Amino acid sequence: MSESQSESFSNSPHNRQTTDNSPTIPIEIVSEEEMALLEAALAATRSSFSSPAISSICSPSRSSQFQRNARSVHSITLLSKRRLSYCSQSDIEDFGGTQKRNRVPESLLQRFRKNRGLNVTDITATEWCEKQMEFTLLFGKREVNEAMKAGSVRHAKLEEEVVKKVEVRVKSIEDIWALKFLNFITGAKQLLFEGLTRELPLICFVEGVWMVGVVDEVQLPTTDPNRYPVLVETKTRVQDTLPAEPQRRNGRLQLMCYKYMWDSLVADKFPSRQFFDFFSLDPYYLLSEEIQVSTASSGFHVKTLDDVLKCYSNTCEMLLPAHDLLLLRYELQRDNTVLGEDHFTYDPDWVKSQLQGCLEFWLGERKANFILEEEQWKCRYCQFASVCPANSKPDTTPSLEKTNPNGTPN
């Protein structure tokens, strides 16, 4: 994710716009590559994709219309491959109000994710080491090392193979959320027409919390008569070896979380009113002119966030549950060669158990656990090792400033 200068925003309806004289810095929408960086954007543009084809997403009779339009795949141009990224000075968490003093201590979820939702990479980082996650929240994010930068560059290149980004200017938190949902709509349409999409954002309500995430890749296999979408996660490696089991377990958890979220979106009606209330959003606040113009030029007419969410819900209803077989791919950073692929089956009981355990920590129901004794090798790569109570020999551990902050694995 591109770093930017800070600019404050407010959820108040009387203060929702940025200053017009500030420099424009593009920022992607949803973070990815292990707690780090990428945020994806949406689609808009002229194309020979007809208005009825897009409007079908937003209409009650969308399913039959969409199937008829699917026969005209050859007529689709860049519409399904272009996404909008927003130009702003702040990431989404900057829109939250300031913390009040002299309050009863809030949970980590309330303090740090109230205005943006819990990211799937928050879950995987918690599973990796709860104490490291706690330190990261309280004392600052880990530094971005070369391996993380290389991984982010690789994901960006993979996305560019199937998606072209278009920048738009945003003026409100409603605009930012709208782009996230529109990004999903565009990616889902590309999946149905072309059988492949990448960097697909997911936003849903599961296990009593709002969760967000971005799937590296979704495939629609032609060999499967039912055509259940296959979710794929790509991990980059510095060394030409496959990772240890704890790292592979962490990657499996990430993909299973995406599968859990995807199936929830497909099966359940999106709770729009609950979404607006939780994030203090105005459903009828007019989206920025650039968003309206960009979508209207494609025959996709939305004016408010409420319009966008209706289309989002309709799009989800047209999708099938994700395939139970998930794919975790490992690439060598040096030349992008595939080191190996981990095909595994979705385990709903295990992923729900993992989610519930992580949420106990995030909701303040218990203190952070230390890692298991057999996995204490993780401490060698933790930037907080010298100050963590789990370290029995702090004098032999590199200092906080000198430790390589790998955190969760690449």
Side-chain angles (χ1 to χ4, degrees), residues 252-310:
R252 294 187 196 112
L253 174 60
Q254 185 172 355
L255 259 180
M256 287 194 198
C257 284
Y258 292 147
K259 156 77 171 170
Y260 187 22
M261 295 170 67
W262 179 287
D263 290 354
S264 176
L265 286 171
V266 171
D268 304 322
K269 186 174 179 60
F270 186 82
S272 300
R273 177 52 56 188
Q274 189 174 350
F275 172 78
F276 294 135
D277 291 344
F278 182 85
F279 291 105
S280 301
L281 300 170
D282 181 357
Y284 307 113
Y285 182 84
L286 291 179
L287 301 176
S288 74
E289 183 177 354
E290 289 192 27
I291 294 178
Q292 293 189 52
V293 170
S294 296
T295 53
S297 66
S298 304
F300 189 11
H301 298 279
V302 293
K303 293 185 177 181
T304 67
L305 185 56
D306 186 60
D307 294 336
V308 174
L309 279 180
K310 289 177 181 177

Side-chain angles (χ1 to χ4, degrees), residues 202-266:
L202 301 177
I203 305 167
C204 68
F205 188 74
V206 293
E207 296 298 322
V209 299
W210 285 100
M211 289 188 62
V212 297
V214 56
V215 187
D216 279 356
E217 181 174 311
V218 187
Q219 304 172 356
L220 206 58
T222 57
T223 56
D224 181 2
N226 296 316
R227 304 202 76 190
Y228 292 113
V230 176
L231 307 185
V232 181
E233 178 72 14
T234 300
K235 300 293 184 185
T236 61
R237 300 275 298 165
V238 176
Q239 299 178 339
D240 58 352
T241 59
L242 292 175
E245 176 55 30
Q247 294 169 295
R248 300 176 72 170
R249 181 187 68 224
N250 198 260
R252 294 187 196 112
L253 174 60
Q254 185 172 355
L255 259 180
M256 287 194 198
C257 284
Y258 292 147
K259 156 77 171 170
Y260 187 22
M261 295 170 67
W262 179 287
D263 290 354
S264 176
L265 286 171
V266 171

Side-chain angles (χ1 to χ4, degrees), residues 106-113 134 137-138 361-362 364:
E106 296 177 305
S107 68
L108 295 175
L109 182 65
Q110 291 173 313
R111 292 175 62 186
F112 299 103
R113 296 295 184 265
E134 181 182 54
L137 293 171
L138 297 177
F361 159 77
W362 278 94

Side-chain angles (χ1 to χ4, degrees), residues 61 63-72:
S61 59
S63 183
S64 58
Q65 290 177 329
F66 206 101
Q67 292 173 356
R68 289 195 297 272
N69 283 301
R71 301 191 185 99
S72 303

Side-chain angles (χ1 to χ4, degrees), residues 87-264:
C87 304
S88 176
Q89 304 300 309
S90 306
D91 201 355
I92 190 168
E93 59 263 41
D94 297 325
F95 286 85
T98 57
Q99 296 286 331
K100 295 181 180 180
R101 297 184 178 182
N102 300 322
R103 296 180 59 180
V104 175
E106 296 177 305
S107 68
L108 295 175
L109 182 65
Q110 291 173 313
R111 292 175 62 186
F112 299 103
R113 296 295 184 265
K114 182 177 180 180
N115 297 299
R116 58 177 284 186
L118 192 64
N119 202 295
V120 170
T121 49
D122 291 329
I123 296 295
T124 56
T126 302
E127 191 274 341
W128 181 254
C129 177
E130 292 185 1
K131 203 64 183 178
Q132 184 188 69
M133 184 75 255
E134 181 182 54
F135 280 140
T136 299
L137 293 171
L138 297 177
F139 304 122
K141 296 180 179 180
R142 58 189 177 146
E143 300 173 4
V144 178
N145 58 30
E146 292 303 316
M148 293 167 61
K149 291 179 182 178
S152 298
V153 170
R154 176 57 178 161
H155 278 80
K157 288 182 178 179
L158 287 171
E159 183 182 13
E160 289 172 0
E161 292 177 0
V162 297
V163 172
K164 182 177 181 179
K165 294 182 180 180
V166 178
E167 293 182 359
V168 297
R169 189 179 303 276
V170 299
K171 296 184 178 181
S172 71
I173 183 64
E174 283 83 0
D175 288 342
I176 294 178
W177 279 110
L179 288 182
K180 292 178 184 290
F181 289 110
L182 290 169
N183 220 12
F184 175 87
I185 295 169
T186 299
K189 177 164 58 64
Q190 183 182 25
L191 175 68
L192 292 171
F193 282 133
E194 303 178 20
L196 175 69
T197 191
R198 287 178 178 153
E199 300 299 323
L200 186 71
L202 301 177
I203 305 167
C204 68
F205 188 74
V206 293
E207 296 298 322
V209 299
W210 285 100
M211 289 188 62
V212 297
V214 56
V215 187
D216 279 356
E217 181 174 311
V218 187
Q219 304 172 356
L220 206 58
T222 57
T223 56
D224 181 2
N226 296 316
R227 304 202 76 190
Y228 292 113
V230 176
L231 307 185
V232 181
E233 178 72 14
T234 300
K235 300 293 184 185
T236 61
R237 300 275 298 165
V238 176
Q239 299 178 339
D240 58 352
T241 59
L242 292 175
E245 176 55 30
Q247 294 169 295
R248 300 176 72 170
R249 181 187 68 224
N250 198 260
R252 294 187 196 112
L253 174 60
Q254 185 172 355
L255 259 180
M256 287 194 198
C257 284
Y258 292 147
K259 156 77 171 170
Y260 187 22
M261 295 170 67
W262 179 287
D263 290 354
S264 176

Side-chain angles (χ1 to χ4, degrees), residues 316-370:
C316 291
E317 291 177 8
M318 287 187 290
L319 299 170
L320 292 174
H323 203 291
D324 282 343
L325 189 62
L326 304 172
L327 173 57
L328 191 58
R329 180 187 298 129
Y330 295 97
E331 289 186 356
L332 183 62
Q333 286 186 358
R334 184 172 63 251
D335 55 10
N336 301 327
T337 56
V338 177
L339 295 173
E341 293 185 339
D342 185 4
H343 297 264
F344 58 95
T345 303
Y346 179 64
D347 187 338
D349 294 332
W350 182 78
V351 72
K352 287 193 70 172
S353 175
Q354 291 292 315
L355 275 172
Q356 291 167 357
C358 288
L359 288 177
E360 289 175 359
F361 159 77
W362 278 94
L363 295 172
E365 297 174 0
R366 60 171 174 79
K367 294 182 179 180
N369 289 327
F370 296 108

